[in-house]
Amino acid sequence: MLADRNTVVLLLPELILVAMATWIYVGGTITRSRTWWVLFALATYLATGLILLRGNAAAAELFASGSLSGPLILDPLGQTGRVLALGLGLLFTLLLAKSASRELASETCATVMLLTVGLMLVCRANSLVLLFLSLELISIPTYVLLYLGRADRASAEAAAKYFFLSILSSAMLLYGLSFLYGLAGVTLITAGQSGTQVVGIREALAALAATPEAAGSNVLLLLGLVLTFGGLAFKIAAVPFQFYAPDVYQGTTNVNAGLLATVPKMAGVLAMTRLLVVAVPATFQYAWQVMLVVAILTMTIGNVSALWQHNVRRLLAYSSIAHAGYMLIGFAVALAAAGSEPAGAADGVAAVLLYLVVYVLAAVGVFAALSYLGSERGEVNDLEELSGLGRTRPEIALAISVFLFSMAGIPPLAGFWGKFELFAGAVRLSGRTDSTAWVWFLALAVLAALNAAIAAAYYLRVVGVMYFRPPAAEIRGSGQGPLTAMLVCAVLVVAAGLLPTPLAQTAANAGRGLVGQRVETPRAASIGQREPARPARLQ
Amino acid sequence: MAPLLAELTVSHYLMVGAVLFVAGAVCMATKRNALGVLMGIELVLNGANLNFVAFGSQYLRPESLGLDGQLVALFVIVLAAAEAAVALAIALNFYNNHTTIDVDQADDLKG
């Protein structure tokens, strides 16, 4: 037998998408029609979505019975993330209906499909190998898309910059992962709830922390974690790896910029959840401090630099950096709470996931609107080009305002609830913690609130340009695809703002399924017995 | 002659891996030629590879086969090949637009 039946069933949606992407690449030689390939890709996504939703119910039962644990994890985060990834692929394919070049439509659609598969796999990866490879399955199609985007000087420069920095970050991530593997001796991240003899990095590191050699291994663990975090910080555009974002966004197309603002960010956040929150032992002391400092630096640098930008994509790049900073708040809370109360850690992760979804919806919406406004002659580049949009195209201006207000966190839009949960988490923790940490978290909450105020300034500037400036040039706007994607995002942002409970509930579920329980010790103790022999060799 | 005869341990391999990684990172930071940067990438990835294989070694964990580490290394080698293919396409595209592969010429985008 070629493959285990269970494997095929669990991976069926991904397998279908990869097979279809291959067919689209090959089929591009038969017809080059952009409409045809976009419709074909959309149909594939919809069919896969149906299969996925049916499979998810079965997978949830398997997870609840605790009978399955391996490189693919079936927890609520993985299952929900997979649906979101598919939805994101669908939205970007809608955008391609207008922006893909006519000669390379099939290649562009297929590349986006492969990227979607990578994102779907990142959601459920529970092994270092699978996680790293699926992150690369996102990166490599991204390079190709940047390359396909446009054939001019700026685009070539953007592709080269992104490529070299992205590879360096991947290598750093890999180097960091090698230390996690070295300390734990396994590539599985967590054994989950299975009652078998399987041991994951989470369990092995917790056992190692309880042994006398913990002090020696902590140095290696710190090195591994800093490198891992550095590699993932590039993906979410956090300090000190944020500097590429403005240049690359500016140099590429609006659709590609939207892709860069959402897909790697989602992948990076999910990988951070798996690698930093799940795998790192709760007693490890340095993690939250690093996270907290990086969060403060990232959101401040992002928001302050965005204040004097004139290029739309540059402005949104800095805003995406700032949003990465907000999400790191949740990670800092989760890591700090992990030691004393696992429920607090689950809350922190849930807040990050909620914020991620809310941010992704708004970001895709904005870039869809910008893509809609572009014409054959050129794209919307400068902020001034949007002036008077409130009079010439009131419905588009309204949609952009909704997205920007959501990003700024103005109630009753979705972004408000995302920010509320994150900031409330930091405040709650500062009220609970008995050590000196509470000062830090109070300061974090205050700085985050200040940052939200700074951010409102530049989002309002864009809205002001649209409504209070006389129309500069005639902007027509065209394309059913981007328009549909924009409307879908707008409806979702407003709906999630008015009825946040289902979304928050899903995020809370995902957080609880991930880090809700403490690691059981009996299994861990058996690993501890064979530990002492190792540190002597490491010296 | 004691140092020459001392037992070779896993930490020695880790040291070689670290040197490769740092050499690659320095190469990426200082080379101006895009192909030079590409060589730096290979060094960095192989430094990490060496770490994986060393950590999987039976000298470190006599009871394990250590196949996990070697498996990762194999995957990464294939990945590096795939990335080199994309890298050459990007370098060629850069050359078509800039008539050079000096990455310091990539300074149009700033603000």
Side-chain angles (χ1 to χ4, degrees), chain A residues 89-339:
Chain A
L90 194 80
L91 286 176
F92 278 111
T93 309
L94 279 174
L95 297 192
L96 291 183
K98 176 178 177 188
S99 69
S101 82
R102 290 188 186 281
E103 295 78 40
L104 295 168
S106 75
E107 282 83 353
T108 316
C109 286
T111 312
V112 168
M113 201 174 269
L114 287 181
L115 184 136
T116 310
V117 174
L119 193 53
M120 286 166 80
L121 286 175
V122 167
C123 296
R124 297 197 303 165
N126 188 32
S127 131
L128 297 186
V129 190
L130 186 64
L131 186 62
F132 183 72
L133 288 180
S134 29
L135 283 173
E136 288 306 299
L137 188 52
I138 296 176
S139 297
I140 296 180
T142 313
Y143 311 145
V144 178
L145 284 174
L146 283 177
Y147 171 82
L148 292 177
R150 218 173 32 205
D152 61 1
R153 228 176 126 87
S155 188
E157 179 180 334
K161 267 188 184 167
Y162 186 79
F163 174 77
F164 285 124
L165 291 169
S166 173
I167 292 270
L168 181 63
S169 84
S170 296
M172 243 165 49
L173 173 65
L174 188 71
Y175 197 60
L177 293 185
S178 77
F179 286 106
L180 290 187
Y181 166 64
L183 286 173
V186 283
T187 51
L188 206 63
I189 291 175
T190 172
Q193 295 162 319
S194 65
T196 53
Q197 291 301 308
V198 188
V199 174
I201 292 177
R202 176 178 168 85
E203 290 79 14
L205 286 182
L208 188 64
T211 58
E213 289 81 25
S217 66
N218 263 358
V219 180
L220 282 187
L221 185 56
L222 185 63
L223 185 62
L225 285 182
V226 167
L227 285 166
T228 307
F229 177 71
L232 294 175
F234 173 87
K235 301 227 181 295
I236 68 166
V239 168
F241 297 101
Q242 92 291 2
F243 52 85
Y244 76 94
D247 288 359
V248 176
Y249 285 31
Q250 186 188 351
T252 189
T253 61
N254 276 327
V255 175
N256 278 348
L259 207 77
L260 285 176
T262 50
V263 174
K265 199 152 293 209
M266 186 170 164
V269 166
L270 287 166
M272 268 192 193
T273 314
R274 298 271 184 223
L275 285 175
L276 301 182
V277 182
V278 175
V280 176
T283 49
F284 192 69
Q285 279 303 313
Y286 312 99
W288 68 261
Q289 286 93 333
V290 174
M291 211 53 111
L292 189 142
V293 171
V294 174
I296 293 177
L297 285 177
T298 307
M299 59 192 180
T300 313
I301 288 179
N303 278 328
V304 172
S305 310
L307 283 174
W308 53 79
Q309 298 305 325
H310 294 289
N311 185 295
V312 189
R313 285 193 297 279
R314 256 190 122 74
L315 186 138
L316 288 170
Y318 280 114
S319 120
S320 89
I321 294 172
H323 288 291
Y326 295 131
M327 284 186 250
L328 290 179
I329 297 176
F331 281 127
V333 169
L335 286 170

Side-chain angles (χ1 to χ4, degrees), chain B residues 24-91:
Chain B
V26 170
C27 178
M28 287 185 77
T30 54
K31 286 280 175 193
R32 296 174 63 196
N33 188 309
L35 296 182
V37 181
L38 211 62
M39 288 179 210
I41 293 170
E42 295 297 324
L43 284 183
V44 168
L45 286 175
N46 281 316
N49 258 353
L50 203 58
N51 250 20
F52 268 106
V53 177
F55 275 130
S57 154
Q58 294 204 332
Y59 291 114
L60 188 60
R61 288 192 183 76
E63 76 283 357
S64 82
L65 283 175
L67 289 181
D68 282 352
Q70 299 179 15
L71 194 80
V72 178
L74 278 179
F75 274 119
V76 173
I77 290 171
V78 175
L79 188 84
E83 260 158 9
V86 180
L88 290 179
I90 287 176

Side-chain angles (χ1 to χ4, degrees), chain A residues 74-94:
Chain A
L74 301 173
D75 60 356
L77 170 63
Q79 303 300 350
T80 320
R82 210 149 74 117
V83 180
L84 290 179
L86 199 70
L88 212 52
L90 194 80
L91 286 176
F92 278 111
T93 309
L94 279 174

Side-chain angles (χ1 to χ4, degrees), chain A residues 1-8:
Chain A
M1 190 134 171
L2 195 62
D4 182 29
R5 185 178 167 276
N6 249 345
T7 317
V8 176

